[in-house]
Amino acid sequence: MKFMKLGSRPDTFYTTEAVRAVSSEVSSDLIIQVKGSRYLLHKFPLLSKCLRLQRLCSESPESSQHQIIQLPDFPGGIEAFEMCAKFCYGITITLSAYNIVSARCAAEYLQMTEDVEKGNLIYKIEVFFNSCILHGWRDSIVTLQSTKAYALWSEDLGITSRCIEAIASKVLTHPSKVSLSHSYSRRVRDDVSCNGAESQRHKPATKGWWAEDMAELGIDLYWRTMIAIKSGGKIPSNLIGDALKIYASRWLPSIPRNGITNNHGSSDSDSDSASEVSSKHRLLLESIVSLLPAEKGAVSCSFLLKLLKAANILHASSSSKIELARRIGLQLEEATVSDLLIPSVSYKSDTVYDIDIVLTILEQFMLQGQSPPTSPPRSKLGFERRRSRSAENIDFDFQESRRSSSASHSAKLKVAKLVDGYLQEIARESKLSLSKFIALAETIPDFARLDHDDLYRAIDIYLRAHPELNKSERKRLCRILDCKKLSMEACMHAAQNELLPLRVVVQVLFFEQARAAMAGGKVTELPSNIKALLATHNIDPSKPPPPLSTTTSIQADDQWSVSGLKSPKSRMSTLRMKLAEDDELDENEIHPDGIVRSSKLKAICALPTRPKRMFSKLWSTNRAASEKN
């Protein structure tokens, strides 16, 4: 730390009977009261340098022995006043980044200007401040921190703004040219006198060397400094994001997960204290959100989701939540299922997790709406004779265009897996409404789900956690499931699932049996009626079903068991059981909005006589083919 010594006389101040005095052969003639403390001093050394004391002495009546002056609103307290008094007596004082702000405010209050005496205290402090303090990194940080105790004085004297400008200029300067007199992150000792010794230089090791030191600032000063740094336009957005992450981890680790507003058993004073802490944290979080760089990827999606969780707990403003949701939506493919499990602290919500904010995030993600191109633009295919670029450049641009667009398509595939995993987690909530579950599932476009195995897991978990669902509600839930995209293992599990509607089981059994027959290589030609039905569902029986996805981990009680489905006989028994349970298989189905529409399974019901005959014909074909072999 840099420091400066003024004066040469030894310290002669002493305390007796709660009164501070100075040793002198001349009796004191002035009593100054500063915030409850009394000082026995002399008029001549003080009035010769302090214009304010001259005016006060001329206005106050003189007593027989001592003239009394009261300074109740003195900035800096007794420490700052005593420093000014010692300067007037010529006693040695030491100025540093820790006390220069209080000394400057006290000197301004006493009006220790050049008009009173040349080389007065204000002049000397300003020289030291501009030539030494503002040139050092650590000194600028400490001085800026100390302005918080004298906010109004520091603003009027320009101390705060000059410190902020100095810090921002050092961040924007090449690190090798910055004098780091002392850094929090490196803890290098560097006490250097400004009266002659040179300051040491420590080259920072990383580009973000300034982030840890600035994290010690209060949020108001930090916000202003970061605005000054961002306005310089030289710092990459990812470094700004890293600095914000360091600051958030420094000041937001103590927030309890269940919020800090639930103080049912606490006293009024504790409640007021908790409310004050919550208000400070809320201001801090909203300030961090306002500082987030506009560029996509400047901060990680995980960090944004942590901020959103804190925003929910602290009851931050809706604008901050919406801004976070928008930014998360731009890079949602980076998130994990645990990141999306945002606790709900709203009194209106019955669910443990905030489903509405996740729906908002998904809507923001889908607003990007960039599908992979099916063909390149004609102008880049070289059909036009006149062109200013070579074919190689055109091909390169086309490949770059395909690459950027396919990244968006890849993001949708990742988000589809993410949403299905999220559905499996929240499906266990007993108070999760069917409409919200379906709304979440339907936010993902059909092409983004290559298979529906994870979605089927989520539906199965939801059905088990909500046994009160009636028949129409179960049908409505299963409409989001595409049986053609289920793997063989999923089909086998669904065929035995007692919770699924009958029509879903019939459809699953049919597609599973048809694909199993073709995959076994025992059938050379399917019957015409089965081929027609497969064609209506865009199924190519020559292609094997996709493998079961294993990307999502689920609990042991949610694992599938297919031990009971081994033979065509067991499949037929399951089908008979389902048909016996549901004699009310309707030709038409009533949509929740009241519109009558035909069932997708009408084609199955229209096969010769009954589904049983269709499966019997298929199995007999299998046996005939095996006997010939």
Side-chain angles (χ1 to χ4, degrees):
M1 295 293 296
K2 300 180 179 68
F3 62 90
M4 182 175 69
K5 291 186 177 182
L6 300 175
S8 57
R9 293 179 55 186
D11 190 355
T12 55
F13 272 67
Y14 66 95
T15 302
T16 176
E17 296 181 358
V19 176
R20 292 284 285 171
V22 60
S23 298
S24 176
E25 297 178 357
V26 181
S27 60
S28 60
D29 55 358
L30 182 64
I31 297 177
I32 298 180
Q33 294 182 348
V34 180
K35 294 185 177 181
S37 298
R38 293 167 61 90
Y39 284 86
L40 294 179
L41 303 173
H42 304 82
K43 289 183 180 181
F44 174 73
L46 293 176
L47 301 187
S48 63
K49 291 182 173 60
C50 303
L51 183 61
R52 188 184 187 94
L53 293 182
Q54 291 180 18
R55 188 176 68 253
L56 291 175
C57 285
S58 64
E59 295 174 354
S60 61
E62 294 187 11
S63 61
S64 58
Q65 184 176 2
H66 294 93
Q67 192 169 3
I68 301 176
I69 302 295
Q70 294 186 359
L71 305 175
D73 55 345
F74 193 87
I78 58 176
E79 293 82 3
F81 173 78
E82 192 164 318
M83 185 178 297
C84 294
K86 289 179 179 179
F87 175 79
C88 294
Y89 279 98
I91 297 173
T92 302
I93 61 174
T94 302
L95 293 175
S96 68
Y98 290 101
N99 62 8
I100 190 172
V101 176
S102 60
R104 178 66 180 86
C105 296
E108 186 69 22
Y109 181 89
L110 295 174
Q111 299 178 0
M112 303 175 72
T113 63
E114 294 296 287
D115 297 335
V116 183
E117 183 179 87
K118 294 295 182 181
N120 212 339
L121 184 57
I122 290 179
Y123 171 77
K124 293 183 180 296
I125 290 177
E126 285 293 331
V127 170
F128 174 60
F129 181 70
N130 293 322
S131 61
C132 291
I133 295 296
L134 295 182
H135 284 195
W137 169 256
R138 164 71 166 153
D139 301 281
S140 300
I141 293 286
V142 173
T143 304
L144 183 59
Q145 281 181 298
S146 62
T147 60
K148 189 174 182 179
Y150 320 98
L152 295 178
W153 283 91
S154 299
E155 290 291 346
D156 293 339
L157 298 174
I159 299 175
T160 305
S161 59
R162 283 184 286 173
C163 286
I164 290 175
E165 291 174 2
I167 294 171
S169 65
K170 289 173 177 58
V171 173
L172 297 172
T173 304
H174 193 276
S176 62
K177 299 180 181 179
V178 178
S179 173
L180 299 179
S181 59
H182 190 287
S183 174
Y184 280 118
S185 58
R186 279 159 289 279
R187 305 291 179 183
V188 180
R189 187 173 180 80
D190 185 20
D191 294 334
V192 183
S193 171
C194 192
N195 296 336
E198 293 183 2
S199 63
Q200 301 178 11
R201 293 181 180 234
H202 302 280
K203 294 183 180 181
T206 61
K207 294 181 179 179
W209 54 271
W210 46 272
E212 293 184 12
D213 296 337
M214 278 186 53
E216 298 297 323
L217 295 173
I219 185 58
D220 50 347
L221 297 174
Y222 181 85
W223 188 88
R224 292 174 60 181
T225 308
M226 286 298 295
I227 290 295
I229 292 173
K230 292 177 66 177
S231 63
K234 295 182 180 180
I235 303 299
S237 58
N238 63 314
L239 292 184
I240 298 291
D242 291 342
L244 293 175
K245 186 176 181 179
I246 291 173
Y247 190 81
S249 63
R250 167 68 175 82
W251 294 101
L252 289 177
S254 59
I255 301 176
R257 183 176 178 82
N258 60 348
I260 56 179
T261 58
N262 299 330
N263 300 297
H264 302 296
S266 59
S267 62
D268 293 339
S269 59
D270 293 338
S271 178
D272 294 341
S273 176
S275 177
E276 182 180 356
V277 172
S278 177
S279 178
K280 290 180 179 179
H281 281 144
R282 188 184 309 115
L283 173 63
L284 188 147
L285 185 138
E286 291 175 354
S287 300
I288 292 176
V289 173
S290 68
L291 289 172
L292 290 172
E295 293 80 4
K296 177 182 176 181
V299 293
S300 66
C301 187
S302 176
F303 174 61
L304 291 173
L305 282 161
K306 288 178 181 178
L307 289 180
L308 185 56
K309 291 179 181 179
N312 255 18
I313 293 173
L314 295 171
H315 303 285
S317 63
S318 58
S319 60
S320 296
K321 293 181 182 180
I322 292 174
E323 176 63 15
L324 286 171
R326 185 188 68 82
R327 292 176 179 271
I328 293 169
L330 294 177
Q331 50 195 97
L332 184 58
E333 66 275 10
E334 303 172 10
T336 62
V337 173
S338 60
D339 290 335
L340 290 180
L341 298 177
I342 303 171
S344 176
V345 292
S346 173
Y347 297 107
K348 299 179 181 179
S349 177
D350 295 329
T351 57
V352 177
Y353 301 112
D354 194 334
I355 311 299
D356 295 328
I357 195 66
V358 176
L359 276 169
T360 304
I361 292 172
L362 287 170
E363 290 171 0
Q364 293 294 327
F365 173 77
M366 296 308 301
L367 283 178
Q368 299 177 79
Q370 296 178 358
S371 299
T374 55
S375 61
R378 290 182 61 87
S379 61
K380 293 186 178 182
L381 281 175
F383 290 124
E384 299 179 1
R385 295 270 180 137
R386 296 179 181 178
R387 51 187 179 178
S388 59
R389 294 178 297 177
S390 63
E392 290 78 7
N393 289 336
I394 293 175
D395 291 340
F396 176 77
D397 291 341
F398 169 57
Q399 292 298 332
E400 288 297 316
S401 175
R402 287 290 299 268
R403 189 176 295 112
S404 61
S405 298
S406 62
S408 176
H409 179 62
S410 174
K412 288 184 173 64
L413 298 180
K414 292 179 181 178
V415 171
K417 286 290 183 184
L418 175 67
V419 170
D420 290 346
Y422 178 73
L423 287 171
Q424 293 176 43
E425 290 294 331
I426 65 172
R428 299 179 178 87
E429 290 200 36
S430 59
K431 295 184 179 180
L432 175 62
S433 66
L434 179 63
S435 58
K436 284 191 176 181
F437 184 90
I438 295 176
L440 277 169
E442 291 180 340
T443 54
I444 302 301
D446 185 63
F447 73 86
R449 284 192 175 97
L450 300 181
D451 64 72
H452 278 215
D453 286 5
D454 290 336
L455 181 60
Y456 171 68
R457 285 191 183 98
I459 292 174
D460 181 51
I461 296 171
Y462 187 85
L463 289 172
R464 281 190 276 167
H466 300 79
E468 73 281 358
L469 292 179
N470 57 39
K471 185 176 176 181
S472 61
E473 289 174 333
R474 286 188 289 123
K475 288 181 180 180
R476 180 185 168 197
L477 173 63
C478 291
R479 284 196 193 100
I480 62 177
L481 186 66
D482 189 350
C483 297
K484 299 188 298 295
K485 291 188 176 182
L486 292 178
S487 66
M488 185 68 70
E489 183 180 351
C491 286
M492 294 173 69
H493 182 277
Q496 298 180 96
N497 196 334
E498 302 290 335
L499 300 175
L500 293 178
L502 170 65
R503 297 185 181 187
V504 176
V505 175
V506 171
Q507 192 176 13
V508 166
L509 281 172
F510 173 76
F511 289 125
E512 185 270 338
Q513 176 61 29
R515 290 187 300 182
M518 294 304 298
K522 299 179 180 180
V523 179
T524 57
E525 188 70 21
L526 285 175
S528 58
N529 57 351
I530 297 180
K531 290 174 63 178
L533 185 57
L534 289 174
T536 60
H537 291 275
N538 298 319
I539 298 177
D540 186 0
S542 62
K543 294 181 179 180
L548 178 66
S549 171
T550 58
T551 56
T552 307
S553 59
I554 55 178
Q555 296 183 2
D557 59 348
D558 295 328
Q559 298 290 338
W560 296 346
S561 173
V562 294
S563 57
L565 199 57
K566 299 296 185 181
S567 64
K569 184 179 294 185
S570 62
R571 293 189 180 96
M572 280 307 303
S573 61
T574 304
L575 182 57
R576 287 195 191 98
M577 176 185 63
K578 283 291 182 180
L579 289 172
E581 289 177 356
D582 192 353
D583 292 329
E584 305 139 14
L585 185 58
D586 301 323
E587 290 289 331
N588 297 311
E589 208 168 8
I590 304 298
H591 193 263
D593 57 9
I595 300 175
V596 180
R597 66 179 185 181
S598 298
S599 172
K600 290 184 178 180
L601 296 177
K602 192 172 182 180
I604 297 180
C605 298
L607 289 175
T609 61
R610 291 187 304 176
K612 176 181 177 182
R613 295 186 180 180
M614 181 273 295
F615 286 111
S616 300
K617 183 175 182 181
L618 183 60
W619 292 325
S620 63
T621 308
N622 288 342
R623 284 197 298 269
S626 60
E627 290 174 1
K628 290 181 180 180
N629 293 334

